[in-house]
Amino acid sequence: MAIPSVKLLGGYDFPVVGLGTWQSDNEQALEDALNAALELGYRHIDTAYVYRNEHVIGRVLKEWLTSGKIKRDDLFITTKLPMEAINPDRVEQYIKKSLESLQLDYVDLYLIHFPICTKPRKPDSKEPIETEPTDHIAVWKKMEEQVDAGRTKTIGLSNFSIAQIDRVIKNSRIKPACLQVEIHTFFPQNELVKFAQDNGLVVVAYSPLANPSINKFYAKMGLPPKELPNMLTNGIISSIAKKHNKSNAQIMLKFLLQRNIVVIPKSVTATRLKENIDLFDFTLDGDDLTALRGLDQGEPARVCDFSFAKAFVSHPEWPFPARD
Ligand SMILES: NC(=O)c1ccc[n+]([C@@H]2O[C@H](COP(=O)([O-])OP(=O)(O)OC[C@H]3O[C@@H](n4cnc5c(N)ncnc54)[C@H](OP(=O)(O)O)[C@@H]3O)[C@@H](O)[C@H]2O)c1
């Protein structure tokens, strides 16, 4: 099935459902998921240098492109400048690394992953993470140069605050096309979404299902589990799902689509991949929307809070509200 698109700055088609690939650590499982997703009609794939899976995505895309089953123009590939490269001297080097792994001449969207630069260190290093001073305007100029050089069609921001987005917009030659941030029913980020949409950025929701597997990540980082709302067990979401004969995940995703927000649910499970794009034959009504709006829990429901590194929280460019 063809997934509907919205227009990004520059007129590019951006499919409203993409495939998330964070925590897709098992190469075979990711390869199978990518093949299944492409067969089902997914054309938008979200990755990042830091997910360490660009080479797997590159391998699968190469097969689809060389066999002629798909054309490069039909795909929308997003990747991200990692925190260790939020520095004007490293932007070109890192986008080239991503393009090499992805086996592509260009990506469709290149995002600054997070507004804080870290000191480069070895993968899996147990040393504490250290940060560096971070100059968004200088980095943005290098991002613009990647568009000029044809390495990416569009550029954007991830995890930036309203003040940080505003500063980039006011100092840009090429405007950010997209803002990718955490958004879901329990954490709707209404003010940030309104600001970005009013300024012409397409908003993408990451962790749109409030990532029910997030505690696997915290365990891997040696951190205690977080108590977070769960979309699978929430009674209000379940009753709306029952009314529409849909799953809880589909209600979570549809609520975002009806706010004109693009979603990138991650799954490596074939049945869920199918479910996560089967969203276009029903509409949430006024009562559903009111009930879902009532599930807003604000900051405590943030799944990916990045505060696991103490150096981030004390950095002048920390983008999220201070925690007690
Ligand atoms: N810019 C950033 O800083 C940032 C941060 C976080 C995420 N992201 C991007 O956003 C994507 C999505 O976010 P996320 O991975 O954090 O979380 P998510 O998509 O909200 O949740 C993924 C989890 O939900 C499960 N799942 C998927 N579909 C389901 C369904 N229909 N029913 C029940 N469970 C389902 C998946 O399990 P299975 O895989 O086992 O099926 C996985 O455990 C990421 O993969 C990544 O591409 C970006």
Side-chain angles (χ1 to χ4, degrees):
M1 72 164 272
I3 297 171
S5 294
V6 287
K7 291 282 181 202
L8 269 185
L9 209 67
Y12 300 104
D13 287 325
F14 191 27
V16 298
V17 187
L19 177 66
T21 63
W22 182 44
Q23 292 182 299
S24 298
D25 301 331
N26 178 308
E27 287 205 7
Q28 190 57 54
L30 175 58
E31 211 172 301
D32 293 348
L34 286 163
N35 280 311
L38 289 166
E39 290 289 355
L40 284 164
Y42 282 79
R43 293 294 178 264
H44 165 186
I45 298 168
D46 183 86
T47 183
Y49 177 86
V50 78
Y51 302 165
R52 289 155 71 177
N53 61 20
E54 290 171 313
H55 63 289
V56 182
I57 297 169
R59 204 160 60 218
V60 173
L61 292 182
K62 184 84 181 174
E63 283 166 17
W64 278 71
L65 289 165
T66 50
S67 71
K69 278 208 281 186
I70 207 168
K71 294 198 301 291
R72 176 65 187 90
D73 274 3
D74 299 331
L75 292 168
F76 193 102
I77 310 298
T78 303
T79 195
K80 312 184 190 92
L81 180 70
M83 293 178 74
E84 68 200 54
I86 316 295
N87 175 310
D89 295 335
R90 298 179 211 149
V91 177
E92 182 173 330
Q93 180 197 349
Y94 274 76
I95 193 172
K96 284 181 171 169
K97 285 190 200 204
S98 287
L99 290 173
E100 195 185 332
S101 301
L102 288 163
Q103 301 191 54
L104 295 175
D105 298 330
Y106 68 90
V107 285
D108 298 276
L109 174 62
Y110 197 50
L111 298 171
I112 301 181
H113 203 144
F114 197 83
I116 295 175
C117 185
T118 56
K119 283 205 171 75
R121 49 180 208 148
K122 292 206 175 73
D124 303 320
S125 162
K126 296 281 177 260
E127 299 294 309
I129 299 173
E130 289 181 68
T131 59
E132 293 182 359
T134 310
D135 179 347
H136 293 163
I137 307 308
V139 172
W140 191 254
K141 285 198 185 347
K142 291 290 171 184
M143 295 286 285
E144 293 173 329
E145 286 176 20
Q146 306 318 306
V147 180
D148 299 337
R151 293 185 194 107
T152 184
K153 298 281 185 202
T154 60
I155 45 181
L157 305 168
S158 181
N159 295 302
F160 275 51
S161 68
I162 290 179
Q164 290 170 331
I165 301 163
D166 196 38
R167 194 171 57 203
V168 171
I169 291 174
K170 288 190 172 128
N171 290 282
S172 58
R173 175 170 60 83
I174 301 174
K175 302 270 173 259
C178 170
L179 174 71
Q180 182 180 123
V181 286
E182 177 176 337
I183 314 170
H184 45 79
T185 309
F186 308 111
F187 186 50
Q189 299 240 55
N190 294 318
E191 197 191 347
L192 179 59
V193 170
K194 181 173 183 338
F195 176 82
Q197 291 181 335
D198 285 351
N199 281 281
L201 285 82
V202 172
V203 176
V204 174
Y206 77 63
S207 305
L209 303 174
N211 193 345
S213 301
I214 193 68
N215 279 322
K216 283 192 196 155
F217 168 71
Y218 288 116
K220 207 163 136 189
M221 300 290 289
L223 297 165
K226 287 181 73 167
E227 266 202 37
L228 290 159
N230 189 323
M231 62 115 189
L232 295 169
T233 54
N234 184 280
I236 290 176
I237 298 175
S238 297
S239 68
I240 298 172
K242 198 166 168 208
K243 172 171 144 188
H244 291 281
N245 201 18
K246 291 283 171 185
S247 70
N248 289 26
Q250 289 170 318
I251 301 303
M252 293 286 277
L253 298 173
K254 188 71 180 192
F255 186 36
L256 292 163
L257 293 181
Q258 286 187 215
R259 294 173 65 200
N260 298 318
I261 295 172
V262 171
V263 294
I264 47 170
K266 173 263 175 183
S267 182
V268 288
T269 313
T271 50
R272 289 172 173 175
L273 289 169
K274 193 159 185 276
E275 194 180 310
N276 293 348
I277 54 170
D278 179 17
L279 303 170
F280 302 101
D281 60 351
F282 76 110
T283 305
L284 298 170
D285 64 28
D287 290 343
D288 302 332
L289 297 177
T290 304
L292 291 166
R293 284 187 198 114
L295 296 178
D296 179 357
Q297 296 184 18
E299 275 299 318
R302 190 191 283 276
V303 165
C304 290
D305 77 0
F306 288 83
S307 63
F308 50 82
K310 295 227 166 9
F312 295 169
V313 186
S314 56
H315 192 283
E317 296 293 355
W318 173 249
F320 305 150
R323 287 268 176 102
D324 296 334

mmCIF file of all heavy atoms in Angstrom, residues 19-23 46-47 51 80 113 158-159 180 205-213 231-232 247 249 264-269 272 275-276 304 306, ligand 1:
data_model
loop_
_atom_site.group_PDB
_atom_site.id
_atom_site.type_symbol
_atom_site.label_atom_id
_atom_site.label_comp_id
_atom_site.label_asym_id
_atom_site.label_seq_id
_atom_site.Cartn_x
_atom_site.Cartn_y
_atom_site.Cartn_z
ATOM 1 N N LEU A 19 9.914 3.914 9.201
ATOM 2 C CA LEU A 19 10.358 2.814 10.069
ATOM 3 C C LEU A 19 11.493 3.294 10.971
ATOM 4 O O LEU A 19 12.546 3.708 10.480
ATOM 5 C CB LEU A 19 10.851 1.642 9.195
ATOM 6 C CG LEU A 19 11.408 0.450 9.983
ATOM 7 C CD1 LEU A 19 10.302 -0.234 10.796
ATOM 8 C CD2 LEU A 19 12.065 -0.568 9.041
ATOM 9 N N GLY A 20 11.275 3.240 12.294
ATOM 10 C CA GLY A 20 12.333 3.547 13.254
ATOM 11 C C GLY A 20 13.279 2.362 13.364
ATOM 12 O O GLY A 20 12.847 1.206 13.210
ATOM 13 N N THR A 21 14.549 2.625 13.644
ATOM 14 C CA THR A 21 15.520 1.507 13.676
ATOM 15 C C THR A 21 16.443 1.528 14.897
ATOM 16 O O THR A 21 17.418 0.789 14.929
ATOM 17 C CB THR A 21 16.380 1.479 12.387
ATOM 18 O OG1 THR A 21 17.152 2.687 12.322
ATOM 19 C CG2 THR A 21 15.542 1.316 11.136
ATOM 20 N N TRP A 22 16.135 2.348 15.893
ATOM 21 C CA TRP A 22 16.944 2.340 17.124
ATOM 22 C C TRP A 22 16.675 1.040 17.888
ATOM 23 O O TRP A 22 15.535 0.549 17.852
ATOM 24 C CB TRP A 22 16.594 3.552 17.989
ATOM 25 C CG TRP A 22 17.398 3.653 19.246
ATOM 26 C CD1 TRP A 22 18.742 3.471 19.382
ATOM 27 C CD2 TRP A 22 16.906 3.976 20.554
ATOM 28 N NE1 TRP A 22 19.116 3.665 20.692
ATOM 29 C CE2 TRP A 22 18.013 3.968 21.440
ATOM 30 C CE3 TRP A 22 15.647 4.276 21.071
ATOM 31 C CZ2 TRP A 22 17.892 4.259 22.807
ATOM 32 C CZ3 TRP A 22 15.519 4.557 22.424
ATOM 33 C CH2 TRP A 22 16.643 4.552 23.277
ATOM 34 N N GLN A 23 17.656 0.516 18.575
ATOM 35 C CA GLN A 23 17.536 -0.742 19.337
ATOM 36 C C GLN A 23 17.264 -1.943 18.418
ATOM 37 O O GLN A 23 16.776 -2.963 18.887
ATOM 38 C CB GLN A 23 16.443 -0.665 20.409
ATOM 39 C CG GLN A 23 16.772 0.285 21.555
ATOM 40 C CD GLN A 23 15.677 0.290 22.612
ATOM 41 O OE1 GLN A 23 14.531 0.628 22.349
ATOM 42 N NE2 GLN A 23 16.028 -0.091 23.827
ATOM 43 N N ASP A 46 14.190 5.684 9.188
ATOM 44 C CA ASP A 46 14.879 6.604 10.096
ATOM 45 C C ASP A 46 16.035 5.862 10.773
ATOM 46 O O ASP A 46 15.827 4.864 11.456
ATOM 47 C CB ASP A 46 13.911 7.093 11.178
ATOM 48 C CG ASP A 46 14.577 8.102 12.108
ATOM 49 O OD1 ASP A 46 14.571 9.300 11.765
ATOM 50 O OD2 ASP A 46 15.133 7.690 13.149
ATOM 51 N N THR A 47 17.256 6.381 10.574
ATOM 52 C CA THR A 47 18.393 5.795 11.272
ATOM 53 C C THR A 47 19.255 6.917 11.830
ATOM 54 O O THR A 47 18.861 8.083 11.859
ATOM 55 C CB THR A 47 19.180 4.828 10.349
ATOM 56 O OG1 THR A 47 20.247 4.233 11.104
ATOM 57 C CG2 THR A 47 19.754 5.507 9.130
ATOM 58 N N TYR A 51 23.216 4.627 15.892
ATOM 59 C CA TYR A 51 22.514 3.337 16.019
ATOM 60 C C TYR A 51 23.395 2.176 15.531
ATOM 61 O O TYR A 51 23.054 1.014 15.742
ATOM 62 C CB TYR A 51 21.184 3.317 15.244
ATOM 63 C CG TYR A 51 20.179 4.379 15.626
ATOM 64 C CD1 TYR A 51 19.087 4.653 14.810
ATOM 65 C CD2 TYR A 51 20.306 5.123 16.799
ATOM 66 C CE1 TYR A 51 18.160 5.636 15.135
ATOM 67 C CE2 TYR A 51 19.390 6.105 17.130
ATOM 68 C CZ TYR A 51 18.325 6.359 16.295
ATOM 69 O OH TYR A 51 17.413 7.333 16.605
ATOM 70 N N LYS A 80 21.441 10.949 11.049
ATOM 71 C CA LYS A 80 21.682 12.050 12.000
ATOM 72 C C LYS A 80 23.161 12.231 12.323
ATOM 73 O O LYS A 80 23.892 11.234 12.469
ATOM 74 C CB LYS A 80 20.910 11.786 13.308
ATOM 75 C CG LYS A 80 19.463 11.384 13.064
ATOM 76 C CD LYS A 80 18.639 11.214 14.310
ATOM 77 C CE LYS A 80 17.286 10.581 14.003
ATOM 78 N NZ LYS A 80 17.223 9.132 14.090
ATOM 79 N N HIS A 113 21.509 15.490 15.756
ATOM 80 C CA HIS A 113 20.831 14.527 16.636
ATOM 81 C C HIS A 113 20.428 15.111 17.989
ATOM 82 O O HIS A 113 19.383 14.777 18.538
ATOM 83 C CB HIS A 113 21.737 13.301 16.844
ATOM 84 C CG HIS A 113 20.985 12.066 17.227
ATOM 85 N ND1 HIS A 113 21.340 10.821 16.804
ATOM 86 C CD2 HIS A 113 19.882 11.873 17.997
ATOM 87 C CE1 HIS A 113 20.491 9.933 17.296
ATOM 88 N NE2 HIS A 113 19.600 10.550 18.026
ATOM 89 N N SER A 158 16.939 17.806 15.864
ATOM 90 C CA SER A 158 16.310 16.820 16.733
ATOM 91 C C SER A 158 16.646 17.161 18.179
ATOM 92 O O SER A 158 17.797 17.506 18.482
ATOM 93 C CB SER A 158 16.818 15.418 16.387
ATOM 94 O OG SER A 158 16.190 14.459 17.210
ATOM 95 N N ASN A 159 15.644 17.077 19.034
ATOM 96 C CA ASN A 159 15.809 17.327 20.474
ATOM 97 C C ASN A 159 16.164 18.775 20.798
ATOM 98 O O ASN A 159 16.713 19.050 21.871
ATOM 99 C CB ASN A 159 16.871 16.383 21.063
ATOM 100 C CG ASN A 159 16.445 14.941 21.006
ATOM 101 O OD1 ASN A 159 15.409 14.577 21.555
ATOM 102 N ND2 ASN A 159 17.216 14.098 20.313
ATOM 103 N N GLN A 180 12.575 16.659 14.840
ATOM 104 C CA GLN A 180 12.257 15.312 15.342
ATOM 105 C C GLN A 180 12.452 15.302 16.857
ATOM 106 O O GLN A 180 13.550 15.558 17.348
ATOM 107 C CB GLN A 180 13.177 14.254 14.695
ATOM 108 C CG GLN A 180 12.812 12.857 15.164
ATOM 109 C CD GLN A 180 13.671 11.735 14.591
ATOM 110 O OE1 GLN A 180 14.274 10.975 15.327
ATOM 111 N NE2 GLN A 180 13.723 11.628 13.272
ATOM 112 N N ALA A 205 7.438 12.560 15.261
ATOM 113 C CA ALA A 205 7.392 12.021 16.625
ATOM 114 C C ALA A 205 8.290 10.801 16.718
ATOM 115 O O ALA A 205 8.060 9.807 16.029
ATOM 116 C CB ALA A 205 5.971 11.613 16.984
ATOM 117 N N TYR A 206 9.306 10.881 17.598
ATOM 118 C CA TYR A 206 10.025 9.640 17.912
ATOM 119 C C TYR A 206 9.447 9.051 19.191
ATOM 120 O O TYR A 206 8.715 9.733 19.914
ATOM 121 C CB TYR A 206 11.540 9.855 17.937
ATOM 122 C CG TYR A 206 12.213 10.527 19.118
ATOM 123 C CD1 TYR A 206 12.202 9.981 20.408
ATOM 124 C CD2 TYR A 206 12.943 11.689 18.931
ATOM 125 C CE1 TYR A 206 12.872 10.575 21.463
ATOM 126 C CE2 TYR A 206 13.624 12.301 19.983
ATOM 127 C CZ TYR A 206 13.584 11.733 21.252
ATOM 128 O OH TYR A 206 14.250 12.324 22.293
ATOM 129 N N SER A 207 9.735 7.773 19.416
ATOM 130 C CA SER A 207 9.082 6.992 20.490
ATOM 131 C C SER A 207 7.564 7.246 20.473
ATOM 132 O O SER A 207 6.953 7.514 21.515
ATOM 133 C CB SER A 207 9.667 7.337 21.860
ATOM 134 O OG SER A 207 11.069 7.159 21.881
ATOM 135 N N PRO A 208 6.922 7.129 19.294
ATOM 136 C CA PRO A 208 5.488 7.454 19.206
ATOM 137 C C PRO A 208 4.613 6.484 19.989
ATOM 138 O O PRO A 208 3.463 6.785 20.271
ATOM 139 C CB PRO A 208 5.202 7.357 17.698
ATOM 140 C CG PRO A 208 6.224 6.393 17.189
ATOM 141 C CD PRO A 208 7.460 6.660 17.998
ATOM 142 N N LEU A 209 5.184 5.312 20.337
ATOM 143 C CA LEU A 209 4.440 4.329 21.139
ATOM 144 C C LEU A 209 4.882 4.397 22.598
ATOM 145 O O LEU A 209 4.618 3.484 23.380
ATOM 146 C CB LEU A 209 4.685 2.916 20.577
ATOM 147 C CG LEU A 209 4.325 2.733 19.089
ATOM 148 C CD1 LEU A 209 4.742 1.351 18.596
ATOM 149 C CD2 LEU A 209 2.828 2.955 18.870
ATOM 150 N N ALA A 210 5.578 5.475 22.970
ATOM 151 C CA ALA A 210 6.152 5.621 24.315
ATOM 152 C C ALA A 210 7.095 4.448 24.611
ATOM 153 O O ALA A 210 7.229 4.019 25.747
ATOM 154 C CB ALA A 210 5.058 5.740 25.382
ATOM 155 N N ASN A 211 7.739 3.956 23.580
ATOM 156 C CA ASN A 211 8.700 2.844 23.599
ATOM 157 C C ASN A 211 8.578 1.872 24.784
ATOM 158 O O ASN A 211 9.277 1.995 25.792
ATOM 159 C CB ASN A 211 10.128 3.403 23.515
ATOM 160 C CG ASN A 211 11.133 2.302 23.212
ATOM 161 O OD1 ASN A 211 10.813 1.125 23.342
ATOM 162 N ND2 ASN A 211 12.321 2.687 22.809
ATOM 163 N N PRO A 212 7.704 0.872 24.636
ATOM 164 C CA PRO A 212 7.544 -0.106 25.735
ATOM 165 C C PRO A 212 8.824 -0.877 26.073
ATOM 166 O O PRO A 212 8.862 -1.542 27.107
ATOM 167 C CB PRO A 212 6.461 -1.066 25.208
ATOM 168 C CG PRO A 212 5.887 -0.454 23.981
ATOM 169 C CD PRO A 212 6.851 0.568 23.469
ATOM 170 N N SER A 213 9.873 -0.782 25.229
ATOM 171 C CA SER A 213 11.135 -1.510 25.515
ATOM 172 C C SER A 213 12.228 -0.604 26.065
ATOM 173 O O SER A 213 13.394 -1.012 26.091
ATOM 174 C CB SER A 213 11.676 -2.150 24.242
ATOM 175 O OG SER A 213 10.764 -3.033 23.707
ATOM 176 N N MET A 231 1.453 2.099 26.936
ATOM 177 C CA MET A 231 0.308 2.206 26.010
ATOM 178 C C MET A 231 -0.446 0.891 25.882
ATOM 179 O O MET A 231 -1.613 0.864 25.525
ATOM 180 C CB MET A 231 0.786 2.699 24.647
ATOM 181 C CG MET A 231 1.769 1.802 23.933
ATOM 182 S SD MET A 231 1.089 1.140 22.428
ATOM 183 C CE MET A 231 2.341 -0.056 21.968
ATOM 184 N N LEU A 232 0.244 -0.233 26.161
ATOM 185 C CA LEU A 232 -0.394 -1.537 25.962
ATOM 186 C C LEU A 232 -1.413 -1.847 27.050
ATOM 187 O O LEU A 232 -2.372 -2.571 26.820
ATOM 188 C CB LEU A 232 0.668 -2.646 25.926
ATOM 189 C CG LEU A 232 1.629 -2.582 24.745
ATOM 190 C CD1 LEU A 232 2.790 -3.544 24.934
ATOM 191 C CD2 LEU A 232 0.890 -2.883 23.442
ATOM 192 N N SER A 247 -5.701 -1.707 17.280
ATOM 193 C CA SER A 247 -4.855 -2.009 18.446
ATOM 194 C C SER A 247 -4.508 -0.715 19.190
ATOM 195 O O SER A 247 -4.669 0.397 18.651
ATOM 196 C CB SER A 247 -3.561 -2.677 17.984
ATOM 197 O OG SER A 247 -2.764 -1.726 17.309
ATOM 198 N N ALA A 249 -1.598 0.356 19.774
ATOM 199 C CA ALA A 249 -0.522 1.031 19.021
ATOM 200 C C ALA A 249 -1.115 1.876 17.897
ATOM 201 O O ALA A 249 -0.680 3.016 17.658
ATOM 202 C CB ALA A 249 0.445 -0.010 18.454
ATOM 203 N N ILE A 264 7.393 7.527 13.358
ATOM 204 C CA ILE A 264 8.433 6.570 12.932
ATOM 205 C C ILE A 264 8.517 5.410 13.935
ATOM 206 O O ILE A 264 9.553 5.189 14.557
ATOM 207 C CB ILE A 264 9.808 7.267 12.763
ATOM 208 C CG1 ILE A 264 10.151 8.181 13.962
ATOM 209 C CG2 ILE A 264 9.851 8.057 11.471
ATOM 210 C CD1 ILE A 264 11.602 8.704 13.949
ATOM 211 N N PRO A 265 7.397 4.650 14.093
ATOM 212 C CA PRO A 265 7.442 3.531 15.050
ATOM 213 C C PRO A 265 8.506 2.520 14.644
ATOM 214 O O PRO A 265 8.660 2.216 13.470
ATOM 215 C CB PRO A 265 6.038 2.911 14.927
ATOM 216 C CG PRO A 265 5.554 3.322 13.571
ATOM 217 C CD PRO A 265 6.144 4.675 13.316
ATOM 218 N N LYS A 266 9.209 2.018 15.653
ATOM 219 C CA LYS A 266 10.218 0.973 15.404
ATOM 220 C C LYS A 266 9.589 -0.385 15.666
ATOM 221 O O LYS A 266 8.933 -0.590 16.695
ATOM 222 C CB LYS A 266 11.423 1.180 16.323
ATOM 223 C CG LYS A 266 12.454 0.051 16.264
ATOM 224 C CD LYS A 266 12.298 -0.970 17.378
ATOM 225 C CE LYS A 266 13.215 -2.151 17.262
ATOM 226 N NZ LYS A 266 12.977 -3.154 18.328
ATOM 227 N N SER A 267 9.803 -1.319 14.745
ATOM 228 C CA SER A 267 9.457 -2.710 15.045
ATOM 229 C C SER A 267 10.314 -3.621 14.194
ATOM 230 O O SER A 267 10.672 -3.279 13.061
ATOM 231 C CB SER A 267 7.977 -2.990 14.779
ATOM 232 O OG SER A 267 7.716 -4.336 15.134
ATOM 233 N N VAL A 268 10.636 -4.782 14.765
ATOM 234 C CA VAL A 268 11.291 -5.827 13.974
ATOM 235 C C VAL A 268 10.358 -7.042 13.877
ATOM 236 O O VAL A 268 10.794 -8.137 13.579
ATOM 237 C CB VAL A 268 12.669 -6.228 14.571
ATOM 238 C CG1 VAL A 268 13.699 -5.127 14.362
ATOM 239 C CG2 VAL A 268 12.555 -6.595 16.052
ATOM 240 N N THR A 269 9.062 -6.823 14.150
ATOM 241 C CA THR A 269 8.084 -7.912 14.154
ATOM 242 C C THR A 269 7.143 -7.728 12.963
ATOM 243 O O THR A 269 6.490 -6.678 12.849
ATOM 244 C CB THR A 269 7.259 -7.867 15.468
ATOM 245 O OG1 THR A 269 8.171 -7.717 16.559
ATOM 246 C CG2 THR A 269 6.407 -9.095 15.658
ATOM 247 N N ARG A 272 3.562 -6.510 13.479
ATOM 248 C CA ARG A 272 3.483 -5.112 13.951
ATOM 249 C C ARG A 272 3.831 -4.125 12.840
ATOM 250 O O ARG A 272 3.260 -3.020 12.770
ATOM 251 C CB ARG A 272 4.434 -4.916 15.133
ATOM 252 C CG ARG A 272 3.953 -5.620 16.386
ATOM 253 C CD ARG A 272 5.007 -5.559 17.442
ATOM 254 N NE ARG A 272 4.523 -6.074 18.709
ATOM 255 C CZ ARG A 272 5.293 -6.228 19.781
ATOM 256 N NH1 ARG A 272 6.578 -5.914 19.724
ATOM 257 N NH2 ARG A 272 4.786 -6.689 20.906
ATOM 258 N N GLU A 275 0.661 -3.715 11.094
ATOM 259 C CA GLU A 275 -0.286 -2.977 11.942
ATOM 260 C C GLU A 275 0.052 -1.481 11.959
ATOM 261 O O GLU A 275 -0.840 -0.631 11.895
ATOM 262 C CB GLU A 275 -0.111 -3.568 13.347
ATOM 263 C CG GLU A 275 -1.164 -3.247 14.345
ATOM 264 C CD GLU A 275 -0.809 -3.934 15.682
ATOM 265 O OE1 GLU A 275 -0.510 -5.148 15.703
ATOM 266 O OE2 GLU A 275 -0.821 -3.223 16.703
ATOM 267 N N ASN A 276 1.333 -1.162 12.000
ATOM 268 C CA ASN A 276 1.746 0.236 12.200
ATOM 269 C C ASN A 276 1.557 1.124 10.975
ATOM 270 O O ASN A 276 1.751 2.343 11.060
ATOM 271 C CB ASN A 276 3.197 0.290 12.691
ATOM 272 C CG ASN A 276 3.363 -0.298 14.088
ATOM 273 O OD1 ASN A 276 2.365 -0.548 14.772
ATOM 274 N ND2 ASN A 276 4.591 -0.517 14.514
ATOM 275 N N CYS A 304 12.827 9.179 26.636
ATOM 276 C CA CYS A 304 14.256 9.352 26.310
ATOM 277 C C CYS A 304 14.719 10.678 26.883
ATOM 278 O O CYS A 304 14.681 11.687 26.182
ATOM 279 C CB CYS A 304 14.457 9.440 24.800
ATOM 280 S SG CYS A 304 14.193 7.936 23.933
ATOM 281 N N PHE A 306 17.783 11.567 28.175
ATOM 282 C CA PHE A 306 19.203 11.890 27.967
ATOM 283 C C PHE A 306 19.923 12.341 29.244
ATOM 284 O O PHE A 306 21.086 12.708 29.186
ATOM 285 C CB PHE A 306 19.411 12.961 26.882
ATOM 286 C CG PHE A 306 19.150 12.489 25.474
ATOM 287 C CD1 PHE A 306 17.863 12.445 24.951
ATOM 288 C CD2 PHE A 306 20.196 12.088 24.655
ATOM 289 C CE1 PHE A 306 17.623 12.009 23.650
ATOM 290 C CE2 PHE A 306 19.968 11.654 23.350
ATOM 291 C CZ PHE A 306 18.674 11.623 22.843
HETATM 292 N N1 LIG B 1 16.138 11.637 17.526
HETATM 293 C C1 LIG B 1 16.260 10.925 18.641
HETATM 294 O O1 LIG B 1 16.932 11.315 19.598
HETATM 295 C C2 LIG B 1 15.515 9.623 18.750
HETATM 296 C C3 LIG B 1 15.337 9.037 20.016
HETATM 297 C C4 LIG B 1 14.617 7.852 20.097
HETATM 298 C C5 LIG B 1 14.104 7.266 18.950
HETATM 299 N N2 LIG B 1 14.327 7.851 17.716
HETATM 300 C C6 LIG B 1 13.798 7.221 16.456
HETATM 301 O O2 LIG B 1 12.411 6.955 16.617
HETATM 302 C C7 LIG B 1 12.148 5.573 16.407
HETATM 303 C C8 LIG B 1 10.958 5.123 17.240
HETATM 304 O O3 LIG B 1 11.156 5.343 18.626
HETATM 305 P P1 LIG B 1 11.529 4.179 19.663
HETATM 306 O O4 LIG B 1 12.240 3.093 18.971
HETATM 307 O O5 LIG B 1 12.210 4.850 20.812
HETATM 308 O O6 LIG B 1 10.134 3.668 20.242
HETATM 309 P P2 LIG B 1 8.706 3.254 19.706
HETATM 310 O O7 LIG B 1 8.673 3.203 18.234
HETATM 311 O O8 LIG B 1 7.734 4.119 20.432
HETATM 312 O O9 LIG B 1 8.566 1.790 20.342
HETATM 313 C C9 LIG B 1 9.314 0.698 19.860
HETATM 314 C C10 LIG B 1 8.934 -0.518 20.694
HETATM 315 O O10 LIG B 1 7.543 -0.807 20.521
HETATM 316 C C11 LIG B 1 7.358 -2.140 20.067
HETATM 317 N N3 LIG B 1 6.264 -2.094 19.080
HETATM 318 C C12 LIG B 1 6.302 -1.616 17.818
HETATM 319 N N4 LIG B 1 5.099 -1.708 17.235
HETATM 320 C C13 LIG B 1 4.266 -2.258 18.149
HETATM 321 C C14 LIG B 1 2.895 -2.620 18.120
HETATM 322 N N5 LIG B 1 2.153 -2.421 17.034
HETATM 323 N N6 LIG B 1 2.353 -3.161 19.251
HETATM 324 C C15 LIG B 1 3.121 -3.367 20.357
HETATM 325 N N7 LIG B 1 4.439 -3.044 20.438
HETATM 326 C C16 LIG B 1 4.998 -2.491 19.339
HETATM 327 C C17 LIG B 1 8.683 -2.547 19.449
HETATM 328 O O11 LIG B 1 8.902 -3.934 19.587
HETATM 329 P P3 LIG B 1 9.466 -4.912 18.422
HETATM 330 O O12 LIG B 1 10.532 -4.210 17.667
HETATM 331 O O13 LIG B 1 10.004 -6.057 19.229
HETATM 332 O O14 LIG B 1 8.297 -5.291 17.580
HETATM 333 C C18 LIG B 1 9.677 -1.783 20.304
HETATM 334 O O15 LIG B 1 9.927 -2.496 21.488
HETATM 335 C C19 LIG B 1 13.483 4.929 16.800
HETATM 336 O O16 LIG B 1 13.578 3.581 16.428
HETATM 337 C C20 LIG B 1 14.445 5.869 16.139
HETATM 338 O O17 LIG B 1 14.498 5.626 14.746
HETATM 339 C C21 LIG B 1 14.996 9.026 17.617
#
